[in-house]
Each structure stands twice: as structure tokens, then as C-alpha cells.
Amino acid sequence: MRTSNGPGVDSNDQSVNTTPDAHHASNFSAPLTDSQAEFWYLIECQGCKELAHSLRMVHDLALYHSDIPFDTAEKSALFDLKVLWEGFEKMGEKV
């Protein structure tokens, strides 16, 4: 018999990001929708390195220059920003 003492390590109850992993993102067989194509166009126009820098600045300002306490949702949102800026940095390296 197994008992539960609350949410486990893999619990995603309080996460802003409801997707447990990004394996679906590597599926390139489906064509882009118009809104997805427009989003990629805007990213290319702005520049991956510039977007990465901006996201990192927002993250650092919120985390290091704010007196506001963070709950789980805010911590998850800051982690999402980190994931985005690291992704943009990788994209910028390939261009």
C-alpha cells in the first residue's frame, strides 16, 4: 500500500507551465500556423541575442532588485524566462 504525503518532486500543480516536457516542440512535421509564422518573423526581426539580453535583464531586475516575496507561481514564471533567454541564446549562436 502506498500513501501520499502531499505533492511529490515531479508535481506540477503550482507551475505556470502545464507542459511537463518539451518533447512535442521537436515535432517539425506539422506546418506553422499564421500566428506562429508571424511570431517567428518578429523574433528574426528583433534578433535572438537582443531578445535573450532583454529577457535576462527582466529576470534579473525582478529577482535581484525587488523586495517583493516570490511564491511558487512567480518562481515558475522566472524559470520560464530563463528557459526562453537560454533558448534565444542558442538560436543566436546558430545564426
Side-chain angles (χ1 to χ4, degrees), residues 6-76:
V9 174
D10 292 333
S11 176
N12 218 5
D13 295 340
Q14 298 294 324
S15 177
V16 174
N17 184 1
T18 58
T19 305
D21 58 44
H23 290 278
H24 69 283
S26 63
N27 182 5
F28 291 107
S29 61
L32 295 177
T33 64
D34 289 341
S35 62
Q36 289 171 331
E38 183 179 349
F39 178 72
W40 282 116
Y41 174 75
L42 292 172
I43 289 173
E44 289 176 351
C45 289
Q46 181 63 29
C48 294
K49 291 179 183 180
E50 291 80 4
L51 285 169
H53 178 73
S54 296
L55 289 172
R56 188 174 203 154
M57 284 182 60
V58 169
H59 171 275
D60 291 349
L61 283 171
L63 188 60
Y64 302 119
H65 301 285
S66 174
D67 295 333
I68 301 170
F70 294 116
D71 291 334
T72 305
E74 289 88 359
K75 289 178 183 177
S76 181

